[in-house]
Structure formats: structure tokens, C-alpha cells
Amino acid sequence: MAPFRRGTKRLGGSTVRGRGTTVARGRGRGRGRGNSTIANSQKPTFYSSRVEEAREETLEHDQTATEESLDEETSPFDSSEDEVDLAAVSVVKPYNTLLWSLNQNVRHEQPPLKKRRLAREHEVEGSLQSITATETEQPDERKDLDSVEEHELDEDIFGSQSDNDDSFGPEIDDTHDYFYEHFNTVNEKALTTCAKDAAESRWTFQRQLKNKLQMRAKQELPSDNALNGILASSIFTYQDLLFCDRVPGVASELRTLTCLHALNHIFKTRDRIIKNNARLSKADTTEDVECRDQGFTRPKVLIILPTRQSCLKVVDSIISLCEPEQQENKKRFQDSYSQTEDQFSPDKPEDFRELFGGNDDDMFRLGMKFTRRTVKYFSQFYNSDIILASPLGLRMAIGTDDSKKQDHDFLSSIEIVIVDQTDALLMQNWEHVGYIFDHLNLQPKETHGCDFSRVRNWYLDGNARFLRQTIVLTAYNTPEINRLFGHNMLNIAGKVKLCKESYEGVMLDLGIQVKQTFSRYDVSALPTDPDARFKYFSTAIVPSLIKSSQAHSSKSQGILVFIPSYMDYVRVRNFLASSTSTQNISFGSISEYTPVRDVARARSHFFSGRHSLLLYTGRAHHFRRYLLRGVHKIIFYALPDNPLFYRETVEGYLTRSVSEGSIDTTDAFVRSVFSRWDVLKLERIVGTKRCAAMITERAGDTFDYL
């Protein structure tokens, strides 16, 4: 598996970390910028009479002072609250006296300045005599206020204990600081075990699980799986996760990992409520005990799935992990969701068999209730712990847009949302997914028996959506999924996007050597992209189709036009049917809504050559995977989101035509139309390196590959 790149991680509630504290250091041995004696110095311009008088009084006082009086002498900058630093005591100088006198009007309105202790007492006693002698001989020496004496460097770089932290801003609450949480809350016993596992590249999320789940987790999930370790680090820390490489080979492990997290959340929630119930029952009536441990309603986990068969797999994984003693309504569940007979041929691809094997009904919803020994299927939503549903089934449960008939209160307290096989949901009706997310964590319209004294404050404040965890698993990324990641995944714990670091491109591994042409058209804005695409198709591609159809040659036969969007399909079909310039083009069409009889007729006429052109939608290929015959050329009106569709049409259809002898490889041709808004699709088909050049290239807009 290719390495992953980690996307944007936003910590909405994290503590802001500054750049640290810089301890100022002076320039050490410098003596100051003035001259050494008063005889060689000049009188400064600010040498006022007031300063001169202060100097004469100071000199007169120094001549009569004794060592005992020196011990009691203080500087005009001393504070009554701080200990006096005797090493800094000196005869008042004109420069210092002037500064002190000028600053008196400012300092009396501010709190007293705090000083650092720059010397120790045993250093002071030996330096008293030298200080007195030096300053008596050189009374006019002026020191540089920016310089620091040599002994100041011996002080601890973090400052003395008398320093106040108020200068660094308000105090930080250690309980919400990740710095203190990571370094100061380390369990030594757990650290020893985790360090051993980390040295052997094993992940140890089991210590966060309930005891009853730990043994099953070790059996179901191997600890040496690197992918599980990467995902578990985000899942079990309640971060939002978008994983863009869900392939059938890892589907089982991903399902087990997410179900384990959901069960662990349900069991811990239930245990906390039970403990608080016992605490409240034992509390004195006069005692004010507050236990906020619930939401507005009971459902806490929502799992969105595409088919009943996928729901069956998730439920089987849940039952395997929790191992309940009893299961209510199990037979009803098996009859409604289980189907052993496959409805398709065995030559279908692996992703198709995983998605549509078994019961492929996309209209369902199921509530599951957990007690200490029992799991109940088909429980009422307001009595359920986990809700499993398809987008269509949940949309029907919410109701119409009429506010009086809508009921979405059961989604008000959802704390974990798991969306599996998201790429399959794109092929159903993505509007239903957006509609569900728009109705998550809203304030309920009715109480539904809620005890508001037990409801968490962030529910009451309407902030539940900022603590909800959303886990999205998809085979590839699309703009729709990116919008879901940006607008609906707002967890304050952060969010992580994991996708492939680079793509090699599926066009390199087709099994057939055929000319592939990619044509780029320019469009300035995304809303105008459909119109610009249709204009390019009708002016640059359709004329060549008309010309070949008028020649009545074999090269005009077997042209397949692959159109991913149904709306574009309708537009192109109407244009070919109504335009006077295309009246000589005979074409057929296959969409996801075409009846089976019409599909068989269109395929037969296309293979026989009666129809020279066939319109084929992406959703029809997704749901049916038709093996079309007679394909000689392929035109991609737009690139498919799923790169496997490109491989299956180019390699599967053209290879079959070559093997049947109906066409030579030199006559086969593939042409794709794209714009700069198709960068995600293009990257998966041509590769990351080629995609960057094709999007930004200004020398031309056509790229040929063999």
C-alpha cells in the first residue's frame, strides 16, 4: 500500500503555544560608554543645577559615612517589598539622579518595579571596600544602562523565584493544556508496556477499551498492522477522519475497527450513567449533586451504509465483538437482511461483488439497543443506542420538508457518525447525505422524556456538532466528499485526511497498447463548467462524428460515448436527437433508468452496426457493469470519478473487440475531455506527475499517450 499523506489537522480547542520566553543577557564586560575620570570628561548638556546640588550633597555624605552606615543605605530605585542588593548600592551619580527625578511623575501611578537579585551576600561583603574607594576616586563615571555585570550571567536562565509569571499573560489551565496532558500525566506502568510495543512497531489502543472488548480486539485486529495503527490513533482520540483508500482488501479490518470504537463508546456511556444513578440514589436530599452525563435522546452512534448486505456485515462484526448472551428479533433480522444467492455472474470485478453481493436493497433503517446481556434488533429509534441506515431510508424516516411532519429529534444527540463505502453513496443520491448532516445535533422539538438536569451543558448551548466525531471511509476522494470534510466535520479535537501520497495512473496498466488523447478546455469558474464542456463537445468532437458518419466507413462504427453525469447524458441525448446537423448519426442510449428490454435492444443494435454510436452513463456502469461488444473507439465526455471505470471500459471493451478480430489495435482510439476542475479524477487516471503538467501546461491543450 502506498504511503499516506496527512491532511489538515485543526485543533479547535487546543491551547495556543507561544514561542517561549527569551531571557535577556547583557554584553558582559563592557564598562559603559563614558570616560573613566571626571578630569577627562566633559559636562553634559543636561547637567542642571539641581543635579549639581544632589552630587555635592552625596559627596559630602560619602566623606563622613562609615561601613555600618553603608550597610543601611538604599538606592532611590529600591522597593520596600524586595530584598536590597548590596552589590548594586553606589553613590548617587548625576545621570542616575536625573533619570530618577524625571521618572517620579510616572512611577507614582504604577505599581513598584520588581528587581532581580544580582549578587549573593558572600560576594557583597568582600566588595564593599572596593566599591567605596572606586566611586570616591571617580565620582563622575557614567555606566551604560544596557550593560550587565559579569556576575549576572550566573543567574538561572528562567529567572529567580521572585519573578512573576503575569508578564507572560494569563495563567494556563493545566487540565486543558496538551503540553501538561502529554508530559505530566504519564502512567509509568503503562509507559513501560507502550514503549515496548512501540519499539516493536505494534499499536496499543486496547488500553482505551472496556475490559470485555480488549480480548476480542486482540483476536480480531492484529497489532502489527501499520494501517490499523495509523487509523486507531485518530479514531480512539475522537478526531474526525477522512480515509480515501478504502479498498476491498482492507474493508473487513476497517469495519471491525470502527465497530469496536462504536461499542466502546456505547458501553462507557452506559457505565457512566449507571454509576451516576447509584451516586444520586445514595446522595442526601440536602446535598446538591450534579451529574451531567447524557444528551437529549438515547441514540449515540449513527452508521450510514449503502445496502442491506453492508448493514448485515456491520451487525455481524458488532455481535462478534460484544458476544451478547441473548439476541432479540434475530430471526426477523436475518430474514430481512440476509440473502445467500448472488444475482450476477461470477466475472464481475471485486469491488462490484463486495458492494452488490447478497441483498443490495438501498432502502433500510435499523435500531439496535444494548443492555448488559442482550442486544435487541428493530428497537424504536428513541430507545436505540446505534442506528444503521441508508441515506434514502433515513431521509424517509426524517420526513418531508414540512416542519410539522418532520421528526429528526432522534439525531439530536448523535456523538459518532460512521459513513462507510462513501464512494457508493455518491452513486445513489448524495443530496440525502447532505440532508442528514444538516439535521444532526439540532435542538429537539419535544422533550421525549428527557431529564434536563442530566443533559451536558454543551448540548444545551447548541455546541454538540463541535464535539461530534465523523468517520468517512471512501475508495477515492471527490469534491463532494471534500465539501463534507470542510463544512460538516467541525470537531474541536481536530480532523485528519488520509489519502495516497501519489498515483501512478491506471492508464499505464491497461493490458492493451492504444492511443489515448486528453483534450483540455478552458473554463474560468466552476458553475460554468457544464456549459463549457457541452460547447467543447458540440463544436470540437461532434463535427468529426458527423464527417465519419457521412463517409459510411467502418471507422464510423462502434463509438462509445461515456457520460458520468445523468444530467449531461440527457443534454447530449436531446442534442443528438433534435439537432439538424446530427440527423445522419444513428445512436442508442443506456442509462441507469433504461428498462432491461431497451438495454438489450440498444446493445444488439450497437454490436451489429445498426447504431454507430452508443451513449452510456457512469451510473449504469456502476450498477450493471455491462460487457459491451463492438466497441472500437471510446469518447469520455467527462472523466469518471472511479478510476476502475476507465480501466474496465478501455481495457475490457477494446481488448474484447481486438480478440474477436473486429478491430486492429492501430484503429482503436480513446479520447477524454477535461478541465482544471477535474484534477482529482485526472490524477487517478494519468498519474500525479502527468496531471500537474497537463493542468498547468500553456503550450497546448491536447496530450497524446501510447
Side-chain angles (χ1 to χ4, degrees), residues 279-290:
R279 179 185 173 189
L280 291 173
S281 63
K282 296 178 181 179
D284 190 359
T285 56
T286 60
E287 183 180 358
D288 186 11
V289 179
E290 185 178 47

Side-chain angles (χ1 to χ4, degrees), residues 192-232:
T192 303
T193 304
C194 295
K196 182 179 178 181
D197 293 333
E200 298 176 1
S201 299
R202 295 199 305 264
W203 48 284
T204 57
F205 75 93
Q206 289 91 343
R207 62 188 179 89
Q208 304 180 24
L209 299 176
K210 293 286 296 181
N211 294 333
K212 64 181 300 183
L213 296 175
Q214 291 184 5
M215 185 60 65
R216 293 298 302 166
K218 293 179 180 179
Q219 297 174 358
E220 297 287 341
L221 298 171
S223 60
D224 57 348
N225 189 303
L227 176 61
N228 289 340
I230 294 174
L231 298 180

Side-chain angles (χ1 to χ4, degrees), residues 79 97 242 289 306 366 371 399 405 418 487 519 615 645 651 679 693:
S79 173
T97 304
L242 172 58
V289 179
L366 174 69
T371 61
K405 297 181 180 180
I418 301 173
H487 293 268
S519 301
L615 303 181
F645 290 1
E651 181 183 19
V679 60

Side-chain angles (χ1 to χ4, degrees), residues 3-5 242-245 477 497-501 503:
F4 296 98
R5 59 188 177 199
L242 172 58
F243 181 62
C244 301
D245 195 29
N477 195 11
K497 179 192 296 183
L498 295 176
C499 54
K500 282 187 176 181
E501 185 176 359
Y503 290 88

Side-chain angles (χ1 to χ4, degrees), residues 50-264:
R50 182 179 59 173
V51 176
E52 183 66 27
E53 293 175 359
R55 173 175 174 273
E56 292 175 359
E57 292 177 0
T58 303
L59 292 176
E60 181 180 356
H61 176 73
D62 289 341
Q63 294 176 357
T64 59
T66 61
E67 292 186 3
E68 291 78 3
S69 63
L70 281 174
D71 294 338
E72 301 175 357
E73 192 172 344
T74 60
S75 171
F77 296 100
D78 288 342
S79 173
S80 59
E81 298 177 1
D82 296 316
E83 184 179 358
V84 179
D85 188 353
L86 296 180
V89 176
S90 62
V91 178
V92 180
K93 302 172 189 175
Y95 183 69
N96 294 341
T97 304
L98 177 61
L99 291 179
W100 175 77
S101 62
L102 294 177
N103 289 328
Q104 286 303 306
N105 294 333
V106 178
R107 288 199 174 184
H108 76 275
E109 298 178 355
Q110 300 177 352
L113 298 178
K114 297 185 179 181
K115 296 172 51 182
R116 290 183 178 179
R117 184 173 179 179
L118 303 180
R120 298 178 177 84
E121 294 181 359
H122 67 276
E123 298 173 346
V124 176
E125 294 179 357
S127 59
L128 289 177
Q129 184 65 32
S130 60
I131 292 175
T132 305
T134 302
E135 295 190 356
T136 303
E137 295 173 359
Q138 303 173 0
D140 195 39
E141 181 180 358
R142 289 176 293 275
K143 296 184 179 180
D144 187 0
L145 293 181
D146 293 334
S147 64
V148 182
E149 295 298 332
E150 191 74 18
H151 59 265
E152 186 175 354
L153 299 177
D154 296 335
E155 187 179 358
D156 189 353
I157 62 172
F158 295 106
S160 63
Q161 189 173 359
S162 62
D163 292 339
N164 198 327
D165 291 338
D166 293 342
S167 59
F168 302 98
E171 294 185 0
I172 299 176
D173 186 2
D174 295 355
T175 59
H176 300 287
D177 191 327
Y178 291 113
F179 170 80
Y180 291 96
E181 180 180 348
H182 184 71
F183 292 103
N184 292 4
T185 61
V186 179
N187 186 300
E188 297 298 334
K189 183 178 179 180
L191 177 61
T192 303
T193 304
C194 295
K196 182 179 178 181
D197 293 333
E200 298 176 1
S201 299
R202 295 199 305 264
W203 48 284
T204 57
F205 75 93
Q206 289 91 343
R207 62 188 179 89
Q208 304 180 24
L209 299 176
K210 293 286 296 181
N211 294 333
K212 64 181 300 183
L213 296 175
Q214 291 184 5
M215 185 60 65
R216 293 298 302 166
K218 293 179 180 179
Q219 297 174 358
E220 297 287 341
L221 298 171
S223 60
D224 57 348
N225 189 303
L227 176 61
N228 289 340
I230 294 174
L231 298 180
S233 62
S234 298
I235 291 176
F236 287 93
T237 54
Y238 285 88
Q239 295 177 337
D240 286 345
L241 173 65
L242 172 58
F243 181 62
C244 301
D245 195 29
R246 185 206 178 278
V247 294
V250 299
S252 178
E253 293 182 0
L254 294 177
R255 188 183 306 114
T256 302
L257 187 63
T258 53
C259 290
L260 183 65
H261 178 53
L263 285 175
N264 185 59

Side-chain angles (χ1 to χ4, degrees), residues 607-671:
F607 176 66
S608 63
R610 184 174 179 178
H611 289 166
S612 61
L613 186 144
L614 179 65
L615 303 181
Y616 188 44
T617 64
R619 293 182 66 189
H621 186 75
H622 169 76
F623 288 108
R624 303 303 178 189
R625 304 292 174 95
Y626 293 119
L627 299 178
L628 302 178
R629 301 177 63 185
V631 178
H632 300 169
K633 299 179 181 179
I634 301 177
I635 298 175
F636 285 93
Y637 182 85
L639 294 174
D641 284 316
N642 192 342
L644 297 180
F645 290 1
Y646 186 88
R647 174 185 294 173
E648 291 169 1
T649 53
V650 175
E651 181 183 19
Y653 298 165
L654 294 181
T655 301
R656 185 171 184 175
S657 299
V658 171
S659 63
E660 292 177 350
S662 60
I663 190 176
D664 189 72
T665 54
T666 57
D667 296 329
F669 179 79
V670 179
R671 184 172 184 178

